[in-house]
Amino acid sequence: MNFLEVVQARRSLRSYLDKSVEREKLEYILESARLAPSWKNMQCWRFIVVEESVGRQALAESMGEDNPGRKALIGAPIVIVLCAVPSESEVWEGKDYMMLDAGLAMEHLLLAATEQGLGTCWQGLFGEEKARKALNVPANVRVVAMTPLGYAAEERRPRPRKGTAEIVFHEKWGQ
Amino acid sequence: MNFLEVVQARRSLRSYLDKSVEREKLEYILESARLAPSWKNMQCWRFIVVEESVGRQALAESMGEDNPGRKALIGAPIVIVLCAVPSESEVWEGKDYMMLDAGLAMEHLLLAATEQGLGTCWQGLFGEEKARKALNVPANVRVVAMTPLGYAAEERRPRPRKGTAEIVFHEKWGQ
């Protein structure tokens, strides 16, 4: 798969097979995240690999009861939780590069998983304090996002995107 | 190249050849960015493709005089500027997902460029108001980052990264 094919293949998948993920695939996707670029190379990201069902259940309970992500976290063999250390990034002119850096490392992880035939699903709508307690994350570290990881039991069509002319300008804004 | 090879090949490159970028490559990398995932699929990102030297010069002047990024923006045939629309994302429990979404779309762009043999370099250390004026970006839109884009005139070694054991935990924080 070339890069665009990987991007095109990524979907938000919430149903998973009862099938474990090979260790070498897990290592491959974590390595892809580890090598992400970051603000002044400070690498604010941390990943917690949650495989025990008690941990995945607790993370699911950090979400609203009607959040379809709950089912994904309980049903997938692995949940990967993205944390970020604010002191290992900076806010510059009001822009929080911690969120940017953490996000792109996580996206490396999701794209690597997609290439390896695994399903993922970005999850941001959870209660941070509940997730923090479930995983003993220190008070000075943010819990930013999480994703289920496993072999998906569903296929999905791509969601719509804005057209190129809506998001790409030339030389100046709006042109 | 598989995905990890693309990640491993990406470098922050600041010297560029006097060689133009093929239109199909530019379209390929913008398409890779366009398809990025985002908070509630709101797609806050906008890209401004700056090719005229007057625009690239103005962006370079938004940076500090000792910023090596200046040379990169002036020397590369293209600069791509990442903007983000705050109303097309959300702040959730104090976490600004606009920065996360914008960042991962831009990282799609950088990885696609890397795969296509092109050089890039994340730039965040610039004065936003100067960049805003140079490109007529409205006051309600943030200018988040930029990158030169072109065929690089240098090779670089990878920068160091934290080891896996420093950034990957199992089941709970610190384990």
Side-chain angles (χ1 to χ4, degrees):
Chain A
M1 296 169 91
N2 69 23
F3 181 76
L4 182 56
E5 289 168 339
V6 175
V7 167
Q8 290 168 330
R10 192 206 52 77
R11 296 278 185 284
S12 293
L13 298 166
R14 297 185 180 85
S15 294
Y16 289 88
L17 300 174
D18 182 17
K19 178 180 175 185
S20 61
V21 173
E22 296 86 345
R23 289 298 100 175
E24 55 269 34
K25 288 196 176 186
L26 181 60
E27 289 168 13
Y28 178 95
I29 69 169
L30 289 166
E31 180 69 1
S32 296
R34 188 179 74 90
L35 300 179
S38 58
W39 184 269
K40 298 180 181 175
N41 198 29
M42 291 173 87
Q43 308 162 60
C44 67
W45 47 71
R46 301 291 186 277
F47 298 96
I48 307 178
V49 180
V50 180
E51 301 186 73
E52 292 173 3
S53 66
V54 61
R56 291 183 286 107
Q57 182 75 41
L59 291 170
E61 288 170 7
S62 76
M63 296 177 157
E65 288 190 9
D66 58 348
N67 186 332
R70 278 192 166 214
K71 181 186 80 167
L73 299 189
I74 292 168
I78 298 175
V79 175
I80 296 185
V81 178
L82 170 68
C83 300
V85 182
S87 62
E88 296 183 9
S89 189
E90 285 180 23
V91 178
W92 175 259
E93 295 190 338
K95 292 175 288 191
D96 187 355
Y97 283 91
M98 179 197 78
M99 289 295 288
L100 187 146
D101 290 352
L104 63 83
M106 187 72 154
E107 183 67 359
H108 277 210
L109 188 152
L110 266 69
L111 292 173
T114 302
E115 185 206 43
Q116 297 298 311
L118 295 161
T120 58
C121 187
W122 270 100
Q123 304 289 333
L125 275 168
F126 58 88
E128 184 174 10
E129 283 315 302
K130 285 186 180 175
R132 181 192 303 286
K133 279 181 190 160
L135 304 181
N136 293 348
V137 175
N140 62 342
V141 175
R142 301 305 303 259
V143 186
V144 175
M146 56 188 77
T147 180
L149 178 73
Y151 287 95
E154 62 176 341
E155 293 190 8
R156 282 195 173 268
R157 294 186 180 204
R159 294 182 72 188
R161 288 291 190 280
K162 290 169 181 162
T164 302
E166 290 177 85
I167 63 160
V168 177
F169 305 132
H170 293 273
E171 302 306 334
K172 305 260 188 185
W173 180 270
Q175 286 182 190
Chain B
M1 293 169 90
N2 68 25
F3 182 76
L4 182 55
E5 288 167 340
V6 175
V7 166
Q8 290 168 331
R10 192 206 52 79
R11 297 277 184 284
S12 292
L13 298 166
R14 297 184 181 85
S15 295
Y16 289 87
L17 299 174
D18 182 15
K19 179 181 175 184
S20 61
V21 173
E22 296 86 346
R23 289 297 102 172
E24 55 268 34
K25 288 196 176 185
L26 181 60
E27 288 168 13
Y28 177 96
I29 68 170
L30 289 166
E31 179 69 2
S32 296
R34 189 178 74 90
L35 300 178
S38 57
W39 184 268
K40 299 181 181 173
N41 199 28
M42 292 174 84
Q43 308 164 59
C44 67
W45 47 73
R46 300 291 186 278
F47 298 96
I48 306 177
V49 180
V50 180
E51 301 186 71
E52 292 173 2
S53 65
V54 61
R56 292 183 285 108
Q57 181 74 41
L59 291 170
E61 287 171 8
S62 75
M63 296 178 157
E65 289 191 8
D66 58 348
N67 186 330
R70 279 192 165 214
K71 181 185 76 168
L73 300 190
I74 293 169
I78 298 175
V79 175
I80 295 184
V81 179
L82 170 68
C83 299
V85 182
S87 62
E88 296 183 8
S89 189
E90 286 181 22
V91 176
W92 175 259
E93 294 191 338
K95 292 174 287 189
D96 186 355
Y97 283 91
M98 179 197 78
M99 289 295 287
L100 186 146
D101 290 353
L104 63 84
M106 186 72 154
E107 183 68 359
H108 276 211
L109 190 152
L110 267 68
L111 292 173
T114 303
E115 185 206 44
Q116 297 299 311
L118 294 161
T120 58
C121 187
W122 270 100
Q123 304 289 332
L125 275 168
F126 58 88
E128 185 174 11
E129 282 315 302
K130 286 187 180 175
R132 180 190 305 285
K133 280 181 189 160
L135 303 181
N136 293 348
V137 176
N140 62 342
V141 175
R142 302 304 305 260
V143 185
V144 175
M146 56 188 78
T147 180
L149 178 72
Y151 288 94
E154 62 176 340
E155 293 189 9
R156 282 196 173 266
R157 295 187 177 204
R159 294 182 70 188
R161 289 291 189 280
K162 290 168 182 164
T164 303
E166 289 177 85
I167 63 161
V168 177
F169 305 131
H170 294 273
E171 302 306 335
K172 304 262 188 184
W173 179 271
Q175 284 180 194

